[in-house]
Amino acid sequence: MSVVSFFNHKGGVGKTTIVFNTGLAMLDRGHSVVFVDADPQANLTGLAVAEPDYEQERADGTTIWAAVSPLVTGAGDIDVPDPVQIRDGAWLLPGDLRLSNFESILPVGWIEALAGEARGFRTTSALHRLFRALTEKTGADFVFVDLGPNVGALNRTALVASDGFVVPLAPDLFSLMALPSVGNSLREWSRQWKTALSNKPQTVDFDLPLGKAKPLGYVSQQFSVYGNRPAAAFRHWLDRIADAYSEGILDPLGWPGDGKNEMLGSLKNFASLVPLAQKSNKAIYELSGVEARGAQFTRAQETRATFEEIARRIDAGLDDK
């Protein structure tokens, strides 16, 4: 079982679309996946399930908030709900706006863990233990985690619990400027967590994460094309992505590589295909000829091979960990 988080400090880079489509492409590779919506905005949940179904899940207490709320209220430890099955071999733990309440206790938990206090380890390891409990319930091979665009305490907890992470990017200045923030934050979190583990008290008898998420690569997203080539306005930024990834992610984390071979995939602008897929709660390549007509349907089908290749490279990267 492997936990893969999708994360960038910059929003608007197609992250949720990449998470969902790549996760479902894993099914074509014979792997099963649990999606965890760890972004309080719950965009992944809105993409994966219909609104009436989500309302029912929230009412039934089967969202990520229900899993961690006992730690917030002081009622106990994590309470692992049954995730929602969205495909044969694919499940979702829905997101919840109330997850921000859990984030509010994480800074104190982090400090307590650094001080060697058992309560801090219980709080900080909550997502790690939740991810593993979900795979025990489902037998899934992967946990794919959708994270919000920030370097806050919630994302720190999720990334410490991850085996690897993928960085979605857009070919623009601000997307590339966010990379050093990601790399430097992860380096500091890993360093601090190593210190915390060295102070772990004997009373901690539950599983803890290693805090060594591997950079699996990046996916460039949302560029315009002329024919089969990116438009000139975007080519400038596309040409800078590899070096920016190397300098902003690989170098701070001390991982080998030059950024040249870390591109997992490059996606065209999906334009109208994205809202069609959202409306149907499907991957883009799952759209039927009725939902996407003519050239739209052809373009939708062409995305399958792209997302399957991204999934293959993620799988291979984890094997090399």
Side-chain angles (χ1 to χ4, degrees), residues 20-30 285 304 307-308 311:
F20 190 59
N21 284 263
T22 304
L24 292 182
M26 276 291 184
L27 300 181
D28 293 332
R29 290 184 49 77
Y285 55 80
R304 180 186 295 273
F307 285 113
E308 286 182 354

Side-chain angles (χ1 to χ4, degrees), residues 88-106:
D88 287 339
W91 297 263
L92 168 74
L93 183 61
D96 198 309
L97 182 62
R98 293 170 293 181
L99 189 59
S100 57
N101 295 324
F102 175 60
E103 183 165 24
S104 70
I105 71 169
L106 291 175

Side-chain angles (χ1 to χ4, degrees), residues 25 32 54 69 88 103 108-109 120 127 146-147 150 154 159 179 194 200 204 214-215 221 250 253 271-272 278 307 320:
S32 50
Y54 173 66
S69 61
D88 287 339
E103 183 165 24
V108 172
L127 293 184
D146 190 21
L147 299 176
N150 62 72
L154 178 62
L159 285 158
L179 293 178
K194 183 178 179 180
K200 182 186 70 173
V204 172
K214 178 183 179 180
Q221 164 74 329
L250 299 181
L253 296 178
S272 59
Q278 290 174 333
F307 285 113
D320 292 339

Side-chain angles (χ1 to χ4, degrees), residues 35 37 42 45 49 54 57 62-65 83-84 92-96:
F35 295 98
D37 193 345
T45 302
V49 297
Y54 173 66
E57 296 299 333
T62 55
T63 69
I64 191 171
W65 164 245
V84 181
L92 168 74
L93 183 61
D96 198 309

Side-chain angles (χ1 to χ4, degrees), residues 3-304:
V3 178
V4 180
S5 287
F6 291 71
F7 173 62
N8 195 345
H9 198 178
K10 170 71 166 59
V13 293
K15 171 179 56 65
T16 301
T17 297
I18 293 170
V19 173
F20 190 59
N21 284 263
T22 304
L24 292 182
M26 276 291 184
L27 300 181
D28 293 332
R29 290 184 49 77
H31 295 303
S32 50
V33 181
V34 176
F35 295 98
V36 175
D37 193 345
D39 183 351
Q41 296 181 85
N43 290 326
L44 176 60
T45 302
L47 180 55
V49 297
E51 290 183 3
D53 294 332
Y54 173 66
E55 288 180 333
Q56 187 61 52
E57 296 299 333
R58 197 173 188 272
D60 290 343
T62 55
T63 69
I64 191 171
W65 164 245
V68 298
S69 61
L71 286 166
V72 179
T73 63
D77 203 354
I78 58 171
D79 183 12
V80 185
D82 292 327
V84 181
Q85 187 160 15
I86 58 175
R87 302 286 190 285
D88 287 339
W91 297 263
L92 168 74
L93 183 61
D96 198 309
L97 182 62
R98 293 170 293 181
L99 189 59
S100 57
N101 295 324
F102 175 60
E103 183 165 24
S104 70
I105 71 169
L106 291 175
V108 172
W110 187 259
I111 292 171
E112 290 175 339
L114 288 172
E117 298 180 22
R119 183 174 63 176
F121 283 101
R122 187 172 297 279
T123 302
T124 305
S125 68
L127 293 184
H128 167 78
R129 292 181 290 117
L130 173 61
F131 297 158
R132 275 145 184 79
L134 288 169
T135 62
E136 290 174 4
K137 279 180 173 284
T138 61
D141 302 312
F142 288 93
V143 177
F144 272 22
V145 188
D146 190 21
L147 299 176
N150 62 72
V151 288
L154 178 62
N155 287 351
R156 176 177 62 194
T157 303
L159 285 158
V160 165
S162 299
D163 297 297
F165 67 97
V166 173
V167 179
L169 289 168
D172 59 49
L173 171 63
F174 300 104
S175 189
L176 300 191
M177 285 177 60
L179 293 178
S181 175
V182 173
N184 291 329
S185 294
L186 280 162
R187 178 184 59 191
E188 183 63 13
W189 296 342
S190 180
R191 183 191 68 80
Q192 291 183 4
W193 185 243
K194 183 178 179 180
T195 298
L197 291 176
S198 70
N199 295 328
K200 182 186 70 173
Q202 293 183 348
T203 54
V204 172
D205 58 358
F206 44 85
D207 191 30
L208 297 175
L210 296 177
K212 297 180 180 179
K214 178 183 179 180
L216 297 171
Y218 62 88
V219 179
S220 64
Q221 164 74 329
Q222 295 181 348
F223 58 83
S224 298
V225 296
Y226 182 77
N228 291 321
R229 298 183 58 82
F234 295 93
R235 171 54 65 184
H236 169 72
W237 298 112
L238 285 170
D239 290 343
R240 294 180 59 179
I241 286 177
D243 288 340
Y245 180 83
S246 181
E247 294 168 5
I249 303 294
L250 299 181
D251 291 350
L253 296 178
W255 282 92
D258 58 8
K260 305 299 183 182
N261 300 312
E262 279 73 34
M263 185 179 74
L264 302 175
S266 183
L267 307 177
K268 296 180 180 179
N269 191 327
F270 297 133
S272 59
L273 292 175
V274 172
L276 288 175
Q278 290 174 333
K279 181 179 179 180
S280 302
N281 303 118
K282 293 181 177 179
I284 293 171
Y285 55 80
E286 290 179 323
L287 290 169
S288 69
V290 174
E291 294 161 325
R293 297 177 179 275
Q296 279 188 323
F297 178 70
T298 301
R299 287 194 296 119
Q301 291 300 298
E302 289 172 349
T303 67
R304 180 186 295 273

